């Protein structure tokens, strides 16, 4: 009877406390597991973000290089066109100078006659 009056309630209370502790311990382990999962997910997202930015940087670098090459081509074409223009202008001046001299000589000859 002492067993039923004193020890049984204490045993029930201890079983209840044990049950609550086991539930708390299980919940705590689950929280730690989920925190590790969230950390791993955040790390993976950051890793993917870094990879995406690196790829974008590579693409932009290639575009810049392509634009530089096109710009060099345009400058080369402008320089070549300028040189052609100067050559043609010189030839035109030489021809018109030669024509002028011929005409001047003909005028002298005709005026002497």
């Amino acid at each position: 009877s002492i067993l039923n009056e004193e020890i049984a309630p204490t045993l029930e209370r201890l079983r209840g406390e044990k049950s609550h502790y086991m539930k708390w311990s299980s919940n705590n382990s689950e929280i730690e597991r989920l925190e590790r999962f969230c950390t791993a997910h955040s790390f993976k997202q950051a890793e993917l973000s870094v990879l995406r930015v690196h790829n974008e940087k590579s693409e932009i670098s290639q575009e810049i290089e392509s634009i530089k090459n096109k710009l060099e081509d345009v400058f080369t074409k402008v320089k070549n066109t300028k040189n052609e223009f100067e050559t043609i202008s010189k030839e035109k001046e030489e021809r018109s100078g030669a024509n002028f001299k011929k005409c001047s000589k003909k005028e002298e000859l005709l005026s002497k006659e």
Side-chain angles (χ1 to χ4, degrees):
S1 167
I2 292 178
L3 181 66
N4 286 337
E5 291 175 14
E6 293 180 18
I7 297 178
T10 305
L11 282 175
E12 284 301 316
R13 183 180 54 84
L14 289 174
R15 284 185 189 122
E17 287 177 5
K18 178 183 175 186
S19 173
H20 289 307
Y21 174 77
M22 296 301 282
K23 183 73 172 166
W24 175 84
S25 179
S26 172
N27 287 341
N28 213 25
S29 295
E30 182 68 11
I31 287 171
E32 288 177 2
R33 186 185 74 79
L34 291 173
E35 284 176 345
R36 286 191 300 272
F37 179 77
C38 288
T39 301
H41 176 72
S42 296
F43 177 79
K44 187 63 177 179
Q45 290 300 105
E47 193 176 53
L48 291 173
S49 179
V50 167
L51 184 62
R52 181 179 39 79
V53 168
H54 179 72
N55 288 339
E56 288 175 1
K57 180 186 171 227
S58 295
E59 289 173 8
I60 290 171
S61 295
Q62 289 174 353
E63 287 179 29
I64 289 173
E65 195 62 35
S66 174
I67 290 170
K68 282 181 181 178
N69 290 338
K70 288 178 183 178
L71 191 58
E72 286 177 15
D73 289 344
V74 168
F75 281 135
T76 302
K77 287 178 182 178
V78 167
K79 185 179 177 182
N80 290 341
T81 304
K82 186 178 178 183
N83 288 340
E84 285 178 33
F85 177 76
E86 289 174 359
T87 303
I88 291 171
S89 294
K90 285 180 185 177
E91 289 175 2
K92 181 181 173 188
E93 286 177 18
E94 289 174 3
R95 281 192 226 139
S96 60
N99 284 340
F100 181 73
K101 286 181 184 179
K102 285 181 186 178
C103 290
S104 293
K105 286 183 182 180
K106 280 186 181 181
E107 181 192 359
E108 274 183 45
L109 290 174
L110 291 174
S111 62
K112 287 182 184 179
E113 293 176 3

